[in-house]
């Protein structure tokens, strides 16, 4: 058990929570949001139409998703509803990235310190996304001894999950023995890397996360 186990931290995010259902048609999503915001503020259609400088008929078409309003019209509606413009798009369901990699189909890549007997298989990659976080999952296979191991140091948080073999892994000035089923979660800005390969072959997952470049 690690040194932080005595100070149990409560995690507030519910991983099973579902957001309200979202609309895949942009015009319908905007219309529903305008109507909901209007009703929430106890405004009639006539009230909002007058405040936004629109006809009641035009507002009705927007709320029913019949037409695609211009950006200028949306800005006027947002101002009349006293909400940020982006809130009018909050009910729209955007496509989200997903990648399925079958067993043995991860892409073998070269990384700093890559050498014979040390393989890095990238298990998937999602580019620009709304989370603001990049995740790089690797399957690392160490099959031969080496006189010297590279020390890595990079931005982000890294998690190792040991699948097979035994490795003594360094993080900063501490060395941790990783056996099958063990997890090591750490700030990857500190120097880290395999210190000694105790039992080969060694297989482990390395999942690196860091802020997405802006």
């Amino acid at each position: 058990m690690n040194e932080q186990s005595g100070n149990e931290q409560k995690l507030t995010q519910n991983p099973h929570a579902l957001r309200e259902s979202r609309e895949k048609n942009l015009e319908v999503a905007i219309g529903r949001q305008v109507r909901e915001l209007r009703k929430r503020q106890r405004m009639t259609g006539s009230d909002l139409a007058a405040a936004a400088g629109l006809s009641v008929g035009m507002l009705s078409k927007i709320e029913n998703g019949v037409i695609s309003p211009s950006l200028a019209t949306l800005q006027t509606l947002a101002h009349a509803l006293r909400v940020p413009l982006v809130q009018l798009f909050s009910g729209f369901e955007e496509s989200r990235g997903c990648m399925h990699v079958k067993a043995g189909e991860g892409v073998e890549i070269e990384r700093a310190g890559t050498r014979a007997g040390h393989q890095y298989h990238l298990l998937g990659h999602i580019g620009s996304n709304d989370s603001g976080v990049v995740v790089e999952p690797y399957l690392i296979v160490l099959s031969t001894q080496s006189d010297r191991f590279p020390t890595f140091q990079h931005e982000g948080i890294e998690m190792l999950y040991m699948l097979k073999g035994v490795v003594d892994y360094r993080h900063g000035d501490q060395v941790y023995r990783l056996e099958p089923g063990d997890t090591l979660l750490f700030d990857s800005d500190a120097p880290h890397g395999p210190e000694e390969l105790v039992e080969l072959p060694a297989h482990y997952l390395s999942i690196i996360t860091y802020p997405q470049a802006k």
Side-chain angles (χ1 to χ4, degrees), residues 31 34-35 38 43-50 52 54-65 67 73 77 81:
V34 169
R35 182 186 293 112
R38 173 174 64 77
M43 299 175 73
T44 66
S46 298
D47 292 336
L48 179 57
L54 301 172
S55 68
V56 174
M58 175 64 75
L59 178 62
S60 177
K61 289 180 179 179
I62 292 173
E63 289 192 351
N64 288 303
I67 64 172
T73 299
L77 282 169
L81 290 164

Side-chain angles (χ1 to χ4, degrees), residues 119-141:
Q119 298 174 319
Y120 294 81
H121 301 271
L122 182 62
L123 300 181
H125 177 70
I126 294 176
S128 179
N129 63 86
D130 290 341
S131 73
V133 176
V134 176
V135 180
E136 293 182 4
Y138 296 94
L139 170 62
I140 299 178
V141 178

Side-chain angles (χ1 to χ4, degrees), residues 1-32:
M1 192 171 291
N2 64 31
E3 58 188 12
Q4 293 185 347
S5 59
N7 301 320
E8 186 175 340
Q9 298 181 0
K10 291 184 178 180
L11 303 179
T12 57
Q13 180 165 277
N14 179 0
H16 303 294
L18 295 176
R19 293 181 177 177
E20 294 180 3
S21 61
R22 298 196 171 196
E23 175 59 51
K24 295 184 179 180
N25 180 281
L26 180 58
E27 289 79 10
V28 173
I30 291 173
R32 286 181 180 175

Side-chain angles (χ1 to χ4, degrees), residues 134-193:
V134 176
V135 180
E136 293 182 4
Y138 296 94
L139 170 62
I140 299 178
V141 178
L142 308 179
S143 57
T144 60
Q145 289 286 355
S146 176
D147 295 332
R148 178 179 175 276
F149 299 107
T151 297
F152 303 104
Q153 195 169 359
H154 51 85
E155 184 180 24
I157 301 294
E158 185 166 353
M159 189 197 83
L160 306 182
Y161 182 76
M162 204 69 193
L163 299 170
K164 182 178 181 180
V166 180
V167 172
D168 284 344
Y169 199 91
R170 175 174 293 280
H171 177 260
D173 58 1
Q174 298 290 318
V175 176
Y176 302 87
R177 175 151 294 189
L178 300 182
E179 300 174 325
D182 288 356
T183 300
L184 189 64
L185 179 67
F186 54 86
D187 183 339
S188 48
D189 191 50
H192 58 276

